[in-house]
Amino acid sequence: GPKVLQIPSHQIIDMGQMVTLNCDPVSNHLYFYWYKQILGQQMEFLVNFYNGKVMEKSKLFKDQFSVERPDGSYFTLKIQPTALEDSAVYFCASSLTGRTGQLYFGEGSKLTVL
Amino acid sequence: QQQVRQSPQSLTVWEGETAILNCSYEDSTFNYFPWYQQFPGEGPALLISIRSVSDKKEDGRFTIFFNKREKKLSLHITDSQPGDSATYFCAARAQVVGQLTFGRGTRLQVYA
């Protein structure tokens, strides 16, 4: 089936540093999402993105977070600066349509902040 | 407060048995309920889904039973196979585009 690729699969960084998580969504998809999963807990919605803009974001999407997809390249999640509580697995997803579209998830990027 | 609850947290069945995974929710505006299957090291993959206008959805060995009045649903996996061993997430969606509210998952182990 359609694949969403995420790079890196695992990143370890020191608190305060910047990190960029990359997502290569399904090629003809138009809507993009980031979810966060802390170990042992449920996945939680962070943000959705369409037509170059953030449509909605949750309370978890702190001011230190930003997303972009410059020129149809990777859809990225940037955290600057990172905090200890940002340690989690971040899942990217994409869908062809919005409200009723099926979400396809990547394998996740595990972020460890020391 | 958890909007979507799943039980049990883990479940073990023998090959050929029926596994029943439960899910309940709080928000009455939820109208679409996908179930995702996740194997270790992989992302969640859509398994089967149901809309709130239906009370049952079947796809092969997988069936969702939905009770709107009680805000409950369940996933039944008949003739369970060892390859079904995975974590199953119940999710719900309301109005926000692509915003799924997930439960914490049920880890299913099927023994041969």
Side-chain angles (χ1 to χ4, degrees):
Chain A
K3 289 279 191 190
V4 173
L5 301 176
Q6 289 189 240
I7 302 166
S9 56
H10 192 187
Q11 178 124 21
I12 302 172
I13 60 171
D14 291 322
M15 184 176 63
Q17 285 190 311
M18 182 195 76
V19 68
T20 299
L21 305 179
N22 300 290
C23 172
D24 187 10
V26 178
S27 59
N28 61 337
H29 283 187
L30 302 174
Y31 295 81
F32 313 111
Y33 317 89
W34 283 102
Y35 280 76
K36 177 182 179 181
Q37 184 179 35
I38 294 173
L39 185 65
Q41 298 188 22
Q42 67 270 34
M43 277 202 294
E44 294 187 273
F45 172 84
L46 285 177
V47 65
N48 57 17
F49 188 86
Y50 170 73
N51 199 26
K53 287 180 270 199
V54 170
M55 294 191 296
E56 284 104 358
K57 53 188 179 181
S58 72
K59 286 183 251 188
L60 296 179
F61 195 80
K62 305 181 297 183
D63 291 342
Q64 298 89 325
F65 288 33
S66 63
V67 291
E68 63 176 354
R69 192 184 189 213
D71 301 323
S73 60
Y74 286 141
F75 174 52
T76 63
L77 173 66
K78 185 185 292 186
I79 309 174
Q80 181 178 29
T82 50
L84 294 176
E85 61 264 27
D86 296 331
S87 294
V89 179
Y90 291 85
F91 289 95
C92 174
S94 69
S95 66
L96 179 59
T97 59
R99 204 162 296 284
T100 58
Q102 175 182 333
L103 269 64
Y104 291 85
F105 284 87
E107 296 184 351
S109 291
K110 183 177 181 180
L111 176 64
T112 302
V113 182
L114 303 176
Chain B
Q1 183 186 4
Q2 262 189 285
Q3 289 283 327
V4 175
R5 288 191 174 87
Q6 289 188 247
S7 65
Q9 192 172 351
S10 64
L11 176 65
T12 300
V13 299
W14 292 101
E15 183 176 3
E17 292 185 331
T18 296
I20 300 175
L21 290 67
N22 300 301
C23 179
S24 63
Y25 62 97
E26 298 289 326
D27 191 337
S28 57
T29 66
F30 288 151
N31 56 19
Y32 169 71
F33 302 89
W35 284 81
Y36 282 83
Q37 180 188 55
Q38 185 178 27
F39 296 104
E42 297 183 13
L46 179 66
L47 181 66
I48 185 172
S49 63
I50 192 167
R51 300 195 182 276
S52 57
V53 294
S54 301
D55 56 14
K56 182 180 176 182
K57 176 81 173 287
E58 201 168 341
D59 185 357
R61 297 185 294 109
F62 302 92
T63 303
I64 300 174
F65 292 93
F66 179 68
N67 185 323
K68 188 172 182 176
R69 185 179 58 83
E70 294 187 10
K71 296 183 188 171
K72 289 181 179 178
L73 56 159
S74 60
L75 173 67
H76 291 225
I77 306 174
T78 56
D79 189 25
S80 296
Q81 302 297 309
D84 297 329
S85 299
T87 299
Y88 292 81
F89 292 96
C90 172
R93 183 172 70 196
Q95 299 303 316
V96 175
V97 171
Q99 182 176 345
L100 296 174
T101 301
F102 282 85
R104 292 190 177 184
T106 293
R107 183 177 294 182
L108 173 67
Q109 182 74 50
V110 182
Y111 286 117

